[in-house]
Amino acid sequence: MPLIQATIIEGRTLEQKKMFYEKLTAVAVESLGVKATQVRVVINEVPATNWAVGGISKADMDAEK
């Protein structure tokens, strides 16, 4: 029973997350030879203030745009 965990910056729509679940599940079914009902997907959403690249938070990067 595959468990796929993804950590993303919060702010995606419910529709985007549903598509993500569906596509990850399809890839697991195709590549691992499991049933879709066996695939688990967990999204961990992180606030932009808690996500940094090169020492700068995503929130600060967005504010600079």
Side-chain angles (χ1 to χ4, degrees):
M1 193 177 329
L3 169 63
I4 302 167
Q5 296 185 59
T7 302
I8 63 174
I9 298 172
E10 66 184 4
R12 291 349 191 268
T13 66
L14 182 56
E15 282 303 311
Q16 288 173 315
K17 289 185 270 188
K18 285 180 180 181
M19 185 183 301
F20 189 65
Y21 300 141
E22 291 170 10
K23 290 185 182 276
L24 281 177
T25 298
V27 167
V29 168
E30 181 181 328
S31 61
L32 301 176
V34 297
K35 296 176 185 175
T37 56
Q38 294 176 297
V39 178
R40 308 300 191 254
V41 178
V42 177
I43 292 178
N44 298 302
E45 291 185 281
V46 177
T49 55
N50 293 355
W51 186 290
V53 177
I56 302 169
S57 77
K58 177 73 167 93
D60 289 341
M61 286 182 213
D62 290 345
E64 292 178 2
K65 290 182 182 178

Short mmCIF file of all heavy atoms in Angstrom, two decimals:
data_model
loop_
_atom_site.label_atom_id
_atom_site.label_comp_id
_atom_site.label_asym_id
_atom_site.label_seq_id
_atom_site.Cartn_x
_atom_site.Cartn_y
_atom_site.Cartn_z
N MET A 1 0.84 -1.17 0.00
CA MET A 1 0.00 0.00 0.00
C MET A 1 0.89 1.25 0.00
O MET A 1 1.43 1.62 1.03
CB MET A 1 -0.89 -0.02 1.24
CG MET A 1 -2.00 0.96 1.18
SD MET A 1 -3.17 0.96 2.57
CE MET A 1 -3.24 -0.69 3.15
N PRO A 2 1.08 1.88 -1.16
CA PRO A 2 1.94 3.06 -1.22
C PRO A 2 1.35 4.26 -0.47
O PRO A 2 0.14 4.50 -0.54
CB PRO A 2 2.01 3.38 -2.72
CG PRO A 2 1.49 2.20 -3.42
CD PRO A 2 0.60 1.49 -2.47
N LEU A 3 2.21 4.96 0.22
CA LEU A 3 1.86 6.22 0.86
C LEU A 3 2.77 7.29 0.27
O LEU A 3 3.99 7.22 0.41
CB LEU A 3 2.04 6.15 2.37
CG LEU A 3 1.94 7.47 3.13
CD1 LEU A 3 0.56 8.07 2.99
CD2 LEU A 3 2.31 7.28 4.58
N ILE A 4 2.16 8.25 -0.41
CA ILE A 4 2.92 9.33 -1.04
C ILE A 4 2.68 10.59 -0.23
O ILE A 4 1.53 11.00 -0.03
CB ILE A 4 2.46 9.55 -2.50
CG1 ILE A 4 2.64 8.26 -3.30
CG2 ILE A 4 3.22 10.71 -3.12
CD1 ILE A 4 1.94 8.26 -4.64
N GLN A 5 3.76 11.21 0.25
CA GLN A 5 3.65 12.44 1.03
C GLN A 5 4.31 13.57 0.24
O GLN A 5 5.41 13.42 -0.26
CB GLN A 5 4.35 12.29 2.37
CG GLN A 5 3.71 11.24 3.26
CD GLN A 5 4.34 11.20 4.62
OE1 GLN A 5 4.35 12.19 5.34
NE2 GLN A 5 4.89 10.06 4.98
N ALA A 6 3.60 14.70 0.17
CA ALA A 6 4.13 15.87 -0.52
C ALA A 6 4.02 17.08 0.40
O ALA A 6 2.99 17.28 1.04
CB ALA A 6 3.35 16.11 -1.80
N THR A 7 5.07 17.86 0.45
CA THR A 7 5.05 19.10 1.21
C THR A 7 5.04 20.25 0.21
O THR A 7 5.90 20.34 -0.65
CB THR A 7 6.30 19.20 2.12
OG1 THR A 7 6.33 18.05 2.98
CG2 THR A 7 6.27 20.47 2.95
N ILE A 8 4.00 21.09 0.33
CA ILE A 8 3.83 22.20 -0.60
C ILE A 8 3.55 23.48 0.18
O ILE A 8 3.12 23.44 1.34
CB ILE A 8 2.70 21.94 -1.62
CG1 ILE A 8 1.35 21.81 -0.91
CG2 ILE A 8 3.00 20.69 -2.45
CD1 ILE A 8 0.16 21.71 -1.86
N ILE A 9 3.77 24.60 -0.47
CA ILE A 9 3.41 25.89 0.14
C ILE A 9 1.89 26.03 0.06
O ILE A 9 1.29 25.76 -0.98
CB ILE A 9 4.11 27.05 -0.59
CG1 ILE A 9 5.62 26.90 -0.46
CG2 ILE A 9 3.65 28.41 -0.03
CD1 ILE A 9 6.41 27.89 -1.29
N GLU A 10 1.29 26.44 1.16
CA GLU A 10 -0.17 26.57 1.16
C GLU A 10 -0.62 27.63 0.16
O GLU A 10 0.15 28.50 -0.24
CB GLU A 10 -0.68 26.90 2.56
CG GLU A 10 -0.29 28.24 3.10
CD GLU A 10 -0.75 28.47 4.53
OE1 GLU A 10 -1.33 27.57 5.15
OE2 GLU A 10 -0.51 29.58 5.04
N GLY A 11 -1.88 27.49 -0.25
CA GLY A 11 -2.43 28.47 -1.17
C GLY A 11 -2.99 27.85 -2.44
O GLY A 11 -3.63 28.53 -3.23
N ARG A 12 -2.76 26.54 -2.65
CA ARG A 12 -3.34 25.89 -3.82
C ARG A 12 -4.84 25.73 -3.61
O ARG A 12 -5.31 25.58 -2.48
CB ARG A 12 -2.74 24.51 -4.05
CG ARG A 12 -1.29 24.34 -4.49
CD ARG A 12 -0.56 25.55 -4.92
NE ARG A 12 0.72 25.28 -5.54
CZ ARG A 12 1.88 25.22 -4.90
NH1 ARG A 12 1.94 25.36 -3.61
NH2 ARG A 12 3.00 25.05 -5.58
N THR A 13 -5.58 25.75 -4.70
CA THR A 13 -7.03 25.58 -4.60
C THR A 13 -7.37 24.11 -4.37
O THR A 13 -6.53 23.21 -4.60
CB THR A 13 -7.73 26.03 -5.89
OG1 THR A 13 -7.34 25.13 -6.96
CG2 THR A 13 -7.39 27.46 -6.26
N LEU A 14 -8.59 23.86 -3.94
CA LEU A 14 -9.05 22.50 -3.75
C LEU A 14 -9.01 21.74 -5.07
O LEU A 14 -8.61 20.56 -5.11
CB LEU A 14 -10.47 22.50 -3.18
CG LEU A 14 -11.07 21.13 -2.88
CD1 LEU A 14 -10.20 20.32 -1.95
CD2 LEU A 14 -12.47 21.29 -2.30
N GLU A 15 -9.35 22.40 -6.16
CA GLU A 15 -9.31 21.76 -7.48
C GLU A 15 -7.88 21.35 -7.84
O GLU A 15 -7.67 20.26 -8.39
CB GLU A 15 -9.88 22.68 -8.56
CG GLU A 15 -11.39 22.71 -8.57
CD GLU A 15 -12.01 21.33 -8.77
OE1 GLU A 15 -11.60 20.60 -9.69
OE2 GLU A 15 -12.91 20.98 -7.98
N GLN A 16 -6.91 22.19 -7.57
CA GLN A 16 -5.51 21.85 -7.85
C GLN A 16 -5.08 20.64 -7.04
O GLN A 16 -4.39 19.75 -7.55
CB GLN A 16 -4.59 23.04 -7.55
CG GLN A 16 -4.71 24.17 -8.54
CD GLN A 16 -3.91 25.39 -8.11
OE1 GLN A 16 -3.96 25.80 -6.95
NE2 GLN A 16 -3.18 25.97 -9.05
N LYS A 17 -5.47 20.62 -5.77
CA LYS A 17 -5.10 19.49 -4.92
C LYS A 17 -5.79 18.21 -5.37
O LYS A 17 -5.16 17.13 -5.40
CB LYS A 17 -5.39 19.80 -3.45
CG LYS A 17 -4.44 20.85 -2.89
CD LYS A 17 -4.62 21.07 -1.43
CE LYS A 17 -5.63 22.15 -1.17
NZ LYS A 17 -5.72 22.55 0.25
N LYS A 18 -7.04 18.29 -5.80
CA LYS A 18 -7.74 17.10 -6.30
C LYS A 18 -7.03 16.55 -7.53
O LYS A 18 -6.85 15.34 -7.67
CB LYS A 18 -9.19 17.43 -6.64
CG LYS A 18 -10.08 17.58 -5.43
CD LYS A 18 -11.51 17.91 -5.85
CE LYS A 18 -12.42 18.06 -4.66
NZ LYS A 18 -13.81 18.36 -5.07
N MET A 19 -6.61 17.43 -8.44
CA MET A 19 -5.90 17.00 -9.63
C MET A 19 -4.57 16.35 -9.25
O MET A 19 -4.17 15.33 -9.83
CB MET A 19 -5.65 18.16 -10.58
CG MET A 19 -5.01 17.75 -11.90
SD MET A 19 -4.62 19.11 -13.01
CE MET A 19 -6.23 19.83 -13.23
N PHE A 20 -3.91 16.91 -8.27
CA PHE A 20 -2.64 16.37 -7.78
C PHE A 20 -2.84 14.96 -7.25
O PHE A 20 -2.08 14.05 -7.58
CB PHE A 20 -2.10 17.32 -6.70
CG PHE A 20 -0.70 17.03 -6.24
CD1 PHE A 20 0.37 17.15 -7.11
CD2 PHE A 20 -0.46 16.69 -4.93
CE1 PHE A 20 1.68 16.92 -6.66
CE2 PHE A 20 0.83 16.46 -4.48
CZ PHE A 20 1.90 16.57 -5.35
N TYR A 21 -3.87 14.76 -6.42
CA TYR A 21 -4.18 13.42 -5.88
C TYR A 21 -4.40 12.43 -7.02
O TYR A 21 -3.88 11.32 -7.01
CB TYR A 21 -5.45 13.42 -5.03
CG TYR A 21 -5.46 14.31 -3.82
CD1 TYR A 21 -6.62 14.99 -3.47
CD2 TYR A 21 -4.36 14.44 -2.98
CE1 TYR A 21 -6.68 15.79 -2.34
CE2 TYR A 21 -4.41 15.23 -1.85
CZ TYR A 21 -5.58 15.91 -1.54
OH TYR A 21 -5.62 16.70 -0.42
N GLU A 22 -5.22 12.84 -7.98
CA GLU A 22 -5.56 11.95 -9.10
C GLU A 22 -4.33 11.56 -9.91
O GLU A 22 -4.14 10.39 -10.25
CB GLU A 22 -6.60 12.61 -9.99
CG GLU A 22 -7.96 12.75 -9.34
CD GLU A 22 -8.92 13.63 -10.13
OE1 GLU A 22 -8.62 13.98 -11.29
OE2 GLU A 22 -9.98 13.97 -9.57
N LYS A 23 -3.50 12.55 -10.23
CA LYS A 23 -2.33 12.27 -11.08
C LYS A 23 -1.28 11.45 -10.33
O LYS A 23 -0.67 10.54 -10.91
CB LYS A 23 -1.75 13.57 -11.62
CG LYS A 23 -2.67 14.20 -12.66
CD LYS A 23 -2.06 15.42 -13.29
CE LYS A 23 -3.01 16.04 -14.27
NZ LYS A 23 -2.97 15.42 -15.58
N LEU A 24 -1.05 11.74 -9.06
CA LEU A 24 -0.11 10.93 -8.28
C LEU A 24 -0.60 9.50 -8.16
O LEU A 24 0.18 8.55 -8.27
CB LEU A 24 0.09 11.51 -6.89
CG LEU A 24 1.03 12.70 -6.76
CD1 LEU A 24 1.06 13.19 -5.32
CD2 LEU A 24 2.42 12.36 -7.23
N THR A 25 -1.89 9.34 -7.94
CA THR A 25 -2.47 8.00 -7.84
C THR A 25 -2.29 7.24 -9.15
O THR A 25 -1.88 6.08 -9.15
CB THR A 25 -3.96 8.08 -7.46
OG1 THR A 25 -4.06 8.70 -6.17
CG2 THR A 25 -4.59 6.70 -7.40
N ALA A 26 -2.57 7.91 -10.28
CA ALA A 26 -2.42 7.27 -11.58
C ALA A 26 -0.98 6.82 -11.83
O ALA A 26 -0.74 5.73 -12.35
CB ALA A 26 -2.88 8.21 -12.69
N VAL A 27 -0.02 7.65 -11.44
CA VAL A 27 1.39 7.29 -11.62
C VAL A 27 1.75 6.08 -10.76
O VAL A 27 2.46 5.17 -11.20
CB VAL A 27 2.31 8.49 -11.30
CG1 VAL A 27 3.76 8.06 -11.19
CG2 VAL A 27 2.15 9.56 -12.36
N ALA A 28 1.26 6.06 -9.53
CA ALA A 28 1.55 4.92 -8.64
C ALA A 28 0.93 3.64 -9.20
O ALA A 28 1.57 2.58 -9.19
CB ALA A 28 1.03 5.21 -7.23
N VAL A 29 -0.30 3.73 -9.69
CA VAL A 29 -0.96 2.56 -10.27
C VAL A 29 -0.15 2.03 -11.45
O VAL A 29 0.13 0.83 -11.55
CB VAL A 29 -2.41 2.90 -10.70
CG1 VAL A 29 -3.01 1.81 -11.56
CG2 VAL A 29 -3.28 3.14 -9.46
N GLU A 30 0.24 2.94 -12.34
CA GLU A 30 0.98 2.54 -13.54
C GLU A 30 2.38 2.01 -13.22
O GLU A 30 2.80 0.98 -13.75
CB GLU A 30 1.10 3.73 -14.49
CG GLU A 30 1.82 3.41 -15.78
CD GLU A 30 1.95 4.61 -16.68
OE1 GLU A 30 1.07 5.49 -16.68
OE2 GLU A 30 2.97 4.68 -17.40
N SER A 31 3.09 2.69 -12.37
CA SER A 31 4.49 2.33 -12.14
C SER A 31 4.70 1.23 -11.10
O SER A 31 5.68 0.49 -11.17
CB SER A 31 5.30 3.57 -11.75
OG SER A 31 4.80 4.12 -10.55
N LEU A 32 3.78 1.13 -10.14
CA LEU A 32 3.94 0.14 -9.07
C LEU A 32 3.04 -1.07 -9.22
O LEU A 32 3.17 -2.04 -8.48
CB LEU A 32 3.69 0.80 -7.71
CG LEU A 32 4.60 1.98 -7.36
CD1 LEU A 32 4.17 2.60 -6.04
CD2 LEU A 32 6.06 1.54 -7.31
N GLY A 33 2.08 -0.98 -10.15
CA GLY A 33 1.19 -2.10 -10.36
C GLY A 33 0.24 -2.36 -9.21
O GLY A 33 -0.07 -3.51 -8.89
N VAL A 34 -0.21 -1.29 -8.57
CA VAL A 34 -1.17 -1.42 -7.46
C VAL A 34 -2.53 -0.90 -7.90
O VAL A 34 -2.65 -0.25 -8.93
CB VAL A 34 -0.68 -0.64 -6.21
CG1 VAL A 34 0.62 -1.22 -5.69
CG2 VAL A 34 -0.51 0.84 -6.52
N LYS A 35 -3.54 -1.18 -7.10
CA LYS A 35 -4.88 -0.66 -7.37
C LYS A 35 -4.97 0.77 -6.84
O LYS A 35 -4.33 1.11 -5.83
CB LYS A 35 -5.93 -1.52 -6.67
CG LYS A 35 -5.99 -2.94 -7.18
CD LYS A 35 -6.98 -3.74 -6.36
CE LYS A 35 -6.95 -5.19 -6.80
NZ LYS A 35 -7.82 -6.03 -5.97
N ALA A 36 -5.79 1.58 -7.49
CA ALA A 36 -5.96 2.97 -7.05
C ALA A 36 -6.43 3.04 -5.60
O ALA A 36 -6.03 3.94 -4.85
CB ALA A 36 -6.94 3.70 -7.96
N THR A 37 -7.24 2.09 -5.19
CA THR A 37 -7.76 2.09 -3.81
C THR A 37 -6.69 1.78 -2.78
O THR A 37 -6.91 1.96 -1.58
CB THR A 37 -8.91 1.07 -3.67
OG1 THR A 37 -8.44 -0.22 -4.09
CG2 THR A 37 -10.11 1.50 -4.49
N GLN A 38 -5.52 1.35 -3.24
CA GLN A 38 -4.42 1.07 -2.32
C GLN A 38 -3.49 2.27 -2.12
O GLN A 38 -2.65 2.25 -1.22
CB GLN A 38 -3.59 -0.10 -2.85
CG GLN A 38 -4.33 -1.42 -2.89
CD GLN A 38 -3.50 -2.51 -3.51
OE1 GLN A 38 -3.14 -2.43 -4.68
NE2 GLN A 38 -3.17 -3.53 -2.73
N VAL A 39 -3.64 3.28 -2.95
CA VAL A 39 -2.73 4.43 -2.92
C VAL A 39 -3.24 5.48 -1.93
O VAL A 39 -4.41 5.86 -1.96
CB VAL A 39 -2.59 5.05 -4.33
CG1 VAL A 39 -1.67 6.27 -4.28
CG2 VAL A 39 -2.08 4.02 -5.32
N ARG A 40 -2.35 5.95 -1.09
CA ARG A 40 -2.66 7.02 -0.13
C ARG A 40 -1.80 8.23 -0.50
O ARG A 40 -0.61 8.08 -0.79
CB ARG A 40 -2.32 6.62 1.31
CG ARG A 40 -2.91 5.30 1.78
CD ARG A 40 -4.42 5.31 1.72
NE ARG A 40 -5.00 4.16 2.41
CZ ARG A 40 -5.55 3.12 1.79
NH1 ARG A 40 -5.55 3.05 0.47
NH2 ARG A 40 -6.09 2.13 2.48
N VAL A 41 -2.40 9.40 -0.48
CA VAL A 41 -1.66 10.64 -0.75
C VAL A 41 -1.92 11.60 0.40
O VAL A 41 -3.08 11.83 0.78
CB VAL A 41 -2.09 11.29 -2.09
CG1 VAL A 41 -1.33 12.60 -2.31
CG2 VAL A 41 -1.87 10.34 -3.26
N VAL A 42 -0.87 12.15 0.97
CA VAL A 42 -0.97 13.11 2.06
C VAL A 42 -0.25 14.38 1.64
O VAL A 42 0.91 14.34 1.22
CB VAL A 42 -0.33 12.57 3.36
CG1 VAL A 42 -0.37 13.62 4.46
CG2 VAL A 42 -0.99 11.28 3.80
N ILE A 43 -0.94 15.50 1.74
CA ILE A 43 -0.32 16.80 1.46
C ILE A 43 -0.10 17.51 2.79
O ILE A 43 -1.02 17.65 3.60
CB ILE A 43 -1.21 17.67 0.56
CG1 ILE A 43 -1.29 17.07 -0.85
CG2 ILE A 43 -0.67 19.09 0.49
CD1 ILE A 43 -2.18 17.84 -1.80
N ASN A 44 1.12 17.95 3.01
CA ASN A 44 1.45 18.79 4.15
C ASN A 44 1.63 20.20 3.61
O ASN A 44 2.53 20.44 2.80
CB ASN A 44 2.74 18.31 4.82
CG ASN A 44 2.61 16.90 5.35
OD1 ASN A 44 1.75 16.63 6.16
ND2 ASN A 44 3.46 16.02 4.88
N GLU A 45 0.77 21.11 4.04
CA GLU A 45 0.85 22.49 3.56
C GLU A 45 1.61 23.35 4.57
O GLU A 45 1.32 23.33 5.75
CB GLU A 45 -0.55 23.05 3.35
CG GLU A 45 -1.27 22.40 2.19
CD GLU A 45 -2.60 23.04 1.90
OE1 GLU A 45 -3.55 22.74 2.63
OE2 GLU A 45 -2.67 23.85 0.96
N VAL A 46 2.57 24.09 4.05
CA VAL A 46 3.44 24.92 4.87
C VAL A 46 3.16 26.39 4.56
O VAL A 46 3.09 26.77 3.39
CB VAL A 46 4.92 24.59 4.57
CG1 VAL A 46 5.85 25.48 5.36
CG2 VAL A 46 5.20 23.12 4.83
N PRO A 47 3.00 27.23 5.58
CA PRO A 47 2.84 28.66 5.32
C PRO A 47 4.08 29.22 4.62
O PRO A 47 5.21 28.77 4.86
CB PRO A 47 2.70 29.28 6.71
CG PRO A 47 2.38 28.16 7.63
CD PRO A 47 2.97 26.92 7.01
N ALA A 48 3.87 30.21 3.77
CA ALA A 48 4.97 30.82 3.03
C ALA A 48 6.03 31.41 3.95
O ALA A 48 7.20 31.49 3.59
CB ALA A 48 4.43 31.90 2.09
N THR A 49 5.64 31.80 5.15
CA THR A 49 6.61 32.34 6.11
C THR A 49 7.53 31.26 6.67
O THR A 49 8.58 31.57 7.22
CB THR A 49 5.89 33.03 7.29
OG1 THR A 49 4.97 32.10 7.88
CG2 THR A 49 5.15 34.27 6.84
N ASN A 50 7.13 30.00 6.53
CA ASN A 50 7.92 28.88 7.04
C ASN A 50 8.64 28.12 5.94
O ASN A 50 9.11 27.01 6.16
CB ASN A 50 7.03 27.91 7.81
CG ASN A 50 6.47 28.50 9.07
OD1 ASN A 50 6.80 29.61 9.45
ND2 ASN A 50 5.59 27.78 9.74
N TRP A 51 8.71 28.71 4.75
CA TRP A 51 9.37 28.07 3.60
C TRP A 51 10.42 29.05 3.09
O TRP A 51 10.10 30.17 2.71
CB TRP A 51 8.32 27.82 2.52
CG TRP A 51 8.80 27.04 1.33
CD1 TRP A 51 9.67 27.48 0.37
CD2 TRP A 51 8.42 25.73 0.95
NE1 TRP A 51 9.85 26.51 -0.58
CE2 TRP A 51 9.09 25.42 -0.24
CE3 TRP A 51 7.57 24.78 1.51
CZ2 TRP A 51 8.93 24.21 -0.90
CZ3 TRP A 51 7.41 23.57 0.86
CH2 TRP A 51 8.09 23.30 -0.32
N ALA A 52 11.66 28.64 3.08
CA ALA A 52 12.72 29.56 2.66
C ALA A 52 13.61 28.92 1.61
O ALA A 52 13.83 27.71 1.61
CB ALA A 52 13.57 29.97 3.86
N VAL A 53 14.12 29.76 0.74
CA VAL A 53 15.08 29.35 -0.28
C VAL A 53 16.23 30.35 -0.22
O VAL A 53 15.99 31.56 -0.27
CB VAL A 53 14.44 29.36 -1.70
CG1 VAL A 53 15.48 29.02 -2.75
CG2 VAL A 53 13.25 28.41 -1.76
N GLY A 54 17.41 29.86 -0.05
CA GLY A 54 18.58 30.74 0.01
C GLY A 54 18.52 31.73 1.17
O GLY A 54 19.04 32.84 1.07
N GLY A 55 17.87 31.32 2.26
CA GLY A 55 17.81 32.17 3.44
C GLY A 55 16.71 33.22 3.41
O GLY A 55 16.62 34.04 4.32
N ILE A 56 15.86 33.19 2.38
CA ILE A 56 14.77 34.17 2.27
C ILE A 56 13.44 33.42 2.21
O ILE A 56 13.29 32.49 1.42
CB ILE A 56 14.93 35.04 0.99
CG1 ILE A 56 16.28 35.75 1.01
CG2 ILE A 56 13.79 36.03 0.87
CD1 ILE A 56 16.64 36.40 -0.30
N SER A 57 12.51 33.84 3.07
CA SER A 57 11.23 33.15 3.09
C SER A 57 10.45 33.42 1.81
O SER A 57 10.62 34.46 1.15
CB SER A 57 10.39 33.58 4.31
OG SER A 57 9.82 34.85 4.09
N LYS A 58 9.59 32.48 1.45
CA LYS A 58 8.75 32.65 0.26
C LYS A 58 7.85 33.86 0.42
O LYS A 58 7.59 34.57 -0.54
CB LYS A 58 7.92 31.37 0.04
CG LYS A 58 6.97 31.43 -1.11
CD LYS A 58 7.69 31.35 -2.44
CE LYS A 58 6.75 31.10 -3.59
NZ LYS A 58 6.26 32.26 -4.26
N ALA A 59 7.39 34.10 1.64
CA ALA A 59 6.55 35.28 1.90
C ALA A 59 7.30 36.57 1.58
O ALA A 59 6.75 37.48 0.95
CB ALA A 59 6.07 35.29 3.34
N ASP A 60 8.57 36.64 1.99
CA ASP A 60 9.39 37.82 1.69
C ASP A 60 9.66 37.93 0.19
O ASP A 60 9.66 39.02 -0.37
CB ASP A 60 10.69 37.81 2.48
CG ASP A 60 10.49 38.07 3.96
OD1 ASP A 60 9.42 38.61 4.33
OD2 ASP A 60 11.39 37.75 4.74
N MET A 61 9.90 36.79 -0.46
CA MET A 61 10.10 36.81 -1.92
C MET A 61 8.87 37.35 -2.63
O MET A 61 9.00 38.18 -3.55
CB MET A 61 10.38 35.39 -2.43
CG MET A 61 11.73 34.86 -2.11
SD MET A 61 11.88 33.22 -2.84
CE MET A 61 12.91 32.42 -1.64
N ASP A 62 7.70 36.91 -2.20
CA ASP A 62 6.46 37.36 -2.82
C ASP A 62 6.22 38.84 -2.57
O ASP A 62 5.72 39.55 -3.43
CB ASP A 62 5.27 36.56 -2.30
CG ASP A 62 5.28 35.12 -2.79
OD1 ASP A 62 6.03 34.80 -3.75
OD2 ASP A 62 4.55 34.29 -2.21
N ALA A 63 6.62 39.32 -1.39
CA ALA A 63 6.42 40.72 -1.04
C ALA A 63 7.31 41.64 -1.88
O ALA A 63 6.96 42.80 -2.12
CB ALA A 63 6.70 40.93 0.44
N GLU A 64 8.45 41.12 -2.34
CA GLU A 64 9.39 41.91 -3.12
C GLU A 64 8.96 42.07 -4.58
O GLU A 64 9.50 42.89 -5.30
CB GLU A 64 10.79 41.28 -3.07
CG GLU A 64 11.43 41.37 -1.72
CD GLU A 64 12.79 40.69 -1.67
OE1 GLU A 64 13.26 40.19 -2.72
OE2 GLU A 64 13.39 40.64 -0.58
N LYS A 65 8.00 41.26 -5.01
CA LYS A 65 7.57 41.31 -6.42
C LYS A 65 6.81 42.55 -6.73
O LYS A 65 6.14 43.16 -6.04
CB LYS A 65 6.71 40.09 -6.75
CG LYS A 65 7.50 38.81 -6.78
CD LYS A 65 6.60 37.66 -7.16
CE LYS A 65 7.38 36.36 -7.15
NZ LYS A 65 6.56 35.22 -7.47
#
